[in-house]
């Protein structure tokens, strides 16, 4: 593998799996050491500045038993992508939250910072009205070019995601288990579809089974990846309200579907409205109020303007830097002198034209002219 991110990835994968050390400390250690490999090679005396004796013991034990290259190779063989906070391809919206996961495992793609994203969440045991609104808004958001974020749970979450996919949009599921486990199993169809129309993400390593204690922490990732959180039906003490609280702490907008005062499924939503949450009456109105429609319009204009201004010049500039061995986005940025967003847009177009292929998270290479099969 080539490029510093590629060189460092196996060590970032190791650091992500050191038990007993939180995301903030892993981030702090990496910033101090400048790379995950330097953390791995850091003398125990130096690590003592940051870690208590029990935590230091755990890290040292993991260093001794962990086959860094071998374990990372196994992950690649399983077809699971991995990205750490140390890489520029890590979702920018998520990196901005206080307790961002140090590492993310995923199938498909990662959400783009330039594309507006909305989470639709709510009751598992929802009413027919709730089902209808989740489907309607999921479809309308997809038609507006907004990415849908959710947890693929039964009820409102998966209904909204299914509607977005059926409308031709992109959706991303954040799981409370490993990405290789479809939970709940009944959502297998949308799970598989999201691998090509979005992505499946988790902070938990492959093989981690769904456990009750893993679901509340994953909610911070759902809200962290979203510009706006929309709640459709939630009881007074619903787990959905945990996500609403996390979204508010992260400075995100929260909108809710109002309901009848006598309806238990609307108790949580009505309470949030009383506390100042936005009133969700239509997708169009919400997009205007939050400025997401304007944000999308500006991004599309910027993309269009970049294509018009640069034309073949920008295309050729990037092509000259690409090769038949993988290069990271940082390498391409350094070699071409192009802006990060401009490179992403160009790479997307080149991938769609079949001239370039993405070989792993943040790494691209030229595509061969022929697909030779034996």
């Amino acid at each position: 593998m080539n490029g510093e991110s590629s060189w460092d990835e196996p060590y970032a994968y190791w650091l992500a799996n050191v038990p007993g050390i939180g995301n903030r400390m892993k981030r702090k250690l990496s910033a101090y050491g400048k790379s995950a490999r330097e953390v791995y090679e850091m003398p125990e005396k130096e690590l003592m500045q940051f870690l208590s004796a029990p935590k230091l013991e755990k890290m040292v034990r993991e260093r001794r038993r962990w086959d860094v290259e071998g374990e990372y190779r196994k992950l690649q063989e399983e077809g699971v992508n991995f990205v750490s906070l140390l890489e520029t391809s890590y979702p920018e919206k998520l990196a901005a939250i206080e307790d961002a996961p140090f590492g993310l495992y995923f199938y498909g793609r990662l959400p783009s910072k330039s594309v507006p994203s909305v989470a639709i969440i709510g009751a598992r045991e929802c009413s027919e009205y709730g089902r209808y609104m989740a489907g309607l808004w999921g479809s309308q958001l997809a038609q507006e070019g907004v990415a849908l974020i959710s947890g693929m749970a039964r009820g409102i979450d998966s209904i909204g995601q299914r509607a977005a996919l059926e409308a031709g949009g992109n959706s991303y599921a954040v799981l409370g288990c490993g990405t290789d486990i479809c939970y709940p199993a009944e959502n297998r169809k949308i799970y598989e579809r999201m691998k090509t129309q979005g992505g499946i993400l988790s902070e938990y390593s492959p093989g981690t089974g769904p456990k009750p204690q893993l679901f509340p922490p994953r909610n911070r990732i759902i809200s962290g990846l979203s510009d706006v959180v929309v709640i459709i039906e939630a009881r007074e003490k619903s787990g959905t309200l945990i996500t609403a609280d996390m979204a508010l702490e992260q400075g995100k907008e929260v909108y809710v579907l109002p309901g009848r005062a006598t309806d238990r499924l609307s108790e949580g939503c009505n309470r949030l409205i009383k506390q100042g949450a936005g009133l969700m009456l239509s997708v169009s109105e919400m997009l205007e109020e939050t400025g997401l429609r304007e944000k999308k319009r500006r991004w599309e204009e910027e993309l269009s303007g970049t294509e018009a201004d640069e034309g073949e010049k920008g295309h050729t500039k990037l092509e000259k830097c690409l090769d038949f061995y993988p290069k990271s986005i940082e390498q391409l940025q350094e070699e071409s002198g192009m802006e990060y967003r401009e490179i992403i847009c160009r790479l997307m177009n080149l991938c769609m034209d079949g001239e370039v292929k993405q070989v792993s998270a943040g790494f691209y290479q030229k595509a061969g002219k022929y697909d030779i099969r034996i």
Side-chain angles (χ1 to χ4, degrees):
M1 291 182 288
N2 298 276
E4 186 168 336
S5 289
S6 177
W7 168 81
D8 202 42
E9 255 180 18
Y11 294 91
Y13 176 49
W14 161 77
L15 185 54
N17 282 276
V18 174
I21 299 175
N23 292 306
R24 293 187 189 91
M25 180 53 70
K26 288 172 183 176
R27 196 172 189 170
K28 186 176 181 180
L29 283 168
S30 301
Y32 174 78
K34 307 302 181 190
S35 74
R37 181 165 186 166
E38 288 187 34
V39 175
Y40 179 83
E41 295 172 344
M42 202 178 289
E44 290 182 37
K45 189 175 181 180
E46 204 167 351
L47 285 170
M48 287 172 63
Q49 301 175 57
F50 303 94
L51 303 174
S52 63
K55 289 183 179 181
L56 177 60
E57 186 181 340
K58 285 180 182 178
M59 178 170 276
V60 171
R61 185 169 62 243
E62 289 302 307
R63 281 204 296 211
R64 287 172 182 159
R65 77 170 192 86
W66 191 275
D67 176 5
V68 176
E69 296 290 343
E71 291 296 330
Y72 187 66
R73 191 162 49 248
K74 281 183 198 174
L75 183 71
Q76 291 181 309
E77 287 168 357
E78 290 171 7
V80 179
N81 298 304
F82 174 79
V83 64
S84 76
L85 264 167
L86 309 180
E87 297 176 67
T88 55
S89 53
Y90 189 95
E92 192 172 288
K93 294 173 189 175
L94 185 59
I97 73 171
E98 189 177 354
D99 190 27
F102 181 78
L104 279 178
Y105 304 89
F106 66 99
Y107 288 125
R109 301 188 304 277
L110 293 167
S112 168
K113 66 175 182 179
S114 303
V115 177
S117 52
V118 171
I120 288 186
I121 58 174
R124 287 174 171 78
E125 303 300 325
C126 53
S127 68
E128 282 303 313
Y129 175 58
R131 294 176 65 86
Y132 172 77
M133 296 309 296
L136 176 67
W137 287 345
S139 177
Q140 289 179 351
L141 284 166
Q143 290 165 20
E144 289 276 1
V146 176
L148 202 70
I149 314 288
S150 202
M152 209 177 76
R154 294 185 183 93
I156 296 299
D157 295 43
S158 56
I159 292 166
Q161 292 190 289
R162 184 180 294 110
L165 294 170
E166 289 174 353
N170 291 323
S171 187
Y172 299 85
V174 183
L175 304 185
C177 56
T179 52
D180 57 333
I181 298 172
C182 177
Y183 182 83
E186 66 201 51
N187 286 332
R188 172 64 65 176
K189 284 186 179 179
I190 64 172
Y191 171 87
E192 294 296 337
R193 195 164 176 177
M194 272 187 280
K195 290 180 180 180
T196 55
Q197 278 180 255
I200 309 288
L201 297 82
S202 177
E203 68 176 316
Y204 305 118
S205 57
T208 303
K211 300 172 185 174
Q213 65 268 30
L214 301 184
F215 288 90
R218 72 89 188 257
N219 293 340
R220 81 190 192 286
I221 303 176
I222 293 175
S223 55
L225 290 169
S226 306
D227 294 302
V228 177
V229 173
V230 174
I231 299 174
I232 299 177
E233 296 189 331
R235 297 179 187 273
E236 184 74 52
K237 295 184 180 179
S238 167
T240 302
L241 302 183
I242 296 174
T243 311
D245 289 340
M246 289 177 172
L248 292 169
E249 286 173 8
Q250 294 166 2
K252 305 297 177 78
E253 301 265 12
V254 174
Y255 274 70
V256 298
L257 173 69
R260 294 172 297 188
T262 55
D263 190 343
R264 290 196 65 197
L265 279 170
S266 295
E267 287 174 350
C269 290
N270 292 339
R271 181 71 59 190
L272 284 171
I273 292 171
K274 190 174 180 181
Q275 292 170 357
L279 198 61
M280 182 71 176
L281 299 177
S282 77
V283 164
S284 180
E285 188 177 87
M286 182 273 290
L287 292 177
E288 290 294 339
E289 289 179 355
T290 57
L292 287 185
R293 179 169 282 144
E294 177 63 19
K295 177 183 176 183
K296 179 174 175 288
R297 184 188 64 77
R298 285 200 308 269
W299 179 70
E300 287 173 343
E301 281 183 357
E302 191 173 317
L303 176 59
S304 176
T306 300
E307 290 172 349
D309 294 341
E310 292 294 331
E312 286 301 312
K313 181 182 171 184
H315 187 279
T316 306
K317 194 160 50 173
L318 185 59
E319 269 195 326
K320 285 180 179 177
C321 301
L322 288 160
D323 211 324
F324 287 103
Y325 63 85
K327 287 189 177 183
S328 68
I329 293 173
E330 298 99 312
Q331 276 182 282
L332 294 171
Q333 190 174 2
E334 184 178 338
E335 292 174 14
S336 68
M338 295 167 66
E339 293 294 325
Y340 179 81
R341 182 179 292 184
E342 185 184 356
I343 289 177
I344 292 295
C345 294
R346 291 289 178 206
L347 287 173
M348 285 169 60
N349 289 331
L350 290 170
C351 285
M352 287 189 285
D353 291 340
E355 295 180 40
V356 170
K357 64 180 180 180
Q358 183 177 6
V359 293
S360 65
F363 281 79
Y364 296 81
Q365 69 181 50
K366 281 185 180 179
K369 295 293 183 185
Y370 303 99
D371 184 15
I372 301 173
R373 298 179 187 275
I374 299 175

